[in-house]
């Protein structure tokens, strides 16, 4: 058995994963950033042992620990940089190995989520697979020939920072018009607020949903209104999916995977996201006349993808 750890800026989640890639015990603790990497490593071991206890097994039964972390991770398990955690050339693999006595594997968290979906989720074990996760930003994982594409420095797959609007919104990375500034969950909230600002007559149902308070706008607001056929909400979603389709078509043109999945809470919106996304991408992809096409679908493992993928690192 293996332990998969999803190390985030807010929580550290761990799960004991069996040979069938099922989580049989789990636990979670707060990350409590900022604090020294040594203390975070202590918490990783602590939450791992909690998950083992909840699984009803012994820590001696654990073969290895896999960790998915934000940031660029090199082949030696050193997190070269992670703004979320304050890591800079942090030897996370060594820190956890010395504290746990177990073999440890470390990889970028989005790559772990992609690996989890490819092996145990919607990927059905296909050798070429791309995962796109829509959250605060846009995360990505790319698997080619059953191998994670990590690049020369472990930082490959930062798909949220490809430019899709050259004269657009300034991104935190320093570039202008990045994909995640237009097609992330955060971008959708901003776009919803912008639409409400333009709706000076308060015609949209969304005003009632947020009690006339812009601070109450969430990624769910526009979809709740769309379910009630609110015209403004439907236009916001259509524009959002148009941006999303631009980035997805770029990824398909470059990698031509068998499957590309969309993850994050937004992906659960089915006919409002996946269906129109497929329709728009079909018009944009270079291979529109090919007999074999990339399948676009929603991710299926949810928050478990990172834990399962981290455990799969140990195989």
């Amino acid at each position: 058995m293996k332990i998969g750890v999803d190390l985030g800026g807010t929580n550290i989640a761990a799960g004991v994963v069996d040979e069938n890639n099922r989580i049989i015990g789990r636990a979670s603790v707060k990350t409590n950033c900022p604090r020294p990497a040594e203390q975070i490593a202590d918490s990783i071991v602590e939450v791992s042992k909690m998950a083992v206890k909840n699984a009803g097994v012994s820590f001696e039964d654990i073969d290895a620990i896999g960790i998915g972390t934000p940031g660029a991770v090199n082949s030696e398990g050193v997190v070269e940089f992670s703004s979320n955690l304050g890591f800079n050339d942090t030897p996370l693999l060594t820190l956890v190995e010395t504290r746990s006595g177990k073999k440890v594997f470390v990889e970028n968290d989005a790559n772990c989520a992609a690996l989890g979906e490819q092996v145990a989720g919607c990927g059905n074990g296909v050798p070429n697979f791309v995962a796109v996760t829509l959250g605060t930003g846009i995360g990505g994982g790319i698997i080619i020939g059953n191998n994670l594409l990590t690049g020369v420095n472990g930082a490959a797959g930062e798909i949220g920072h490809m430019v899709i609007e050259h004269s657009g919104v300034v991104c935190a990375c320093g570039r202008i018009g990045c994909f995640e500034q237009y097609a992330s969950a955060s971008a959708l909230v901003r776009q919803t607020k912008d639409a409400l600002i333009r709706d000076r007559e308060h015609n949209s149902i969304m005003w009632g949903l947020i009690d006339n308070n812009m601070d109450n706008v969430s990624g769910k607001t526009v979809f709740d209104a769309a379910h009630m056929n609110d015209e403004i909400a439907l236009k916001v979603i259509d524009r959002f999916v148009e941006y999303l389709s631009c980035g997805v078509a770029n990824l398909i043109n470059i990698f031509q995977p068998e499957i590309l999945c969309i993850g994050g809470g937004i992906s659960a919106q089915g006919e409002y996201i996946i269906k129109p996304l497929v329709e728009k991408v079909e018009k944009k992809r270079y291979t529109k006349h090919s007999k074999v096409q990339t399948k676009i679908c929603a991710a299926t493992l949810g928050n478990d993808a990172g834990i399962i993928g981290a455990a799969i690192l140990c195989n």
Side-chain angles (χ1 to χ4, degrees), residues 66-71 73-74 105-112 148 150 154 313:
I67 303 169
T69 176
V73 184
N74 68 26
F105 299 83
V106 183
E107 184 53 81
N108 171 268
D109 54 355
N111 285 346
C112 287
L148 280 168
T150 56
L313 293 174

Side-chain angles (χ1 to χ4, degrees), residues 49-126:
K49 290 182 176 179
M50 290 166 59
V52 166
K53 181 178 180 181
N54 292 336
V57 297
S58 168
F59 198 65
E60 284 67 38
D61 297 326
I62 301 302
D63 299 317
I65 299 172
I67 303 169
T69 176
V73 184
N74 68 26
S75 60
E76 297 176 351
V78 175
V79 184
E80 294 186 347
F81 178 71
S82 174
S83 58
N84 289 359
L85 299 171
F87 287 175
N88 192 356
D89 287 331
T90 299
L92 186 61
L93 185 152
T94 300
L95 289 174
V96 177
E97 274 194 346
T98 56
R99 286 162 169 77
S100 66
K102 300 292 183 181
K103 181 69 175 175
V104 173
F105 299 83
V106 183
E107 184 53 81
N108 171 268
D109 54 355
N111 285 346
C112 287
L115 190 59
E117 287 287 353
Q118 187 247 2
V119 174
C122 65
N124 298 317
V126 300

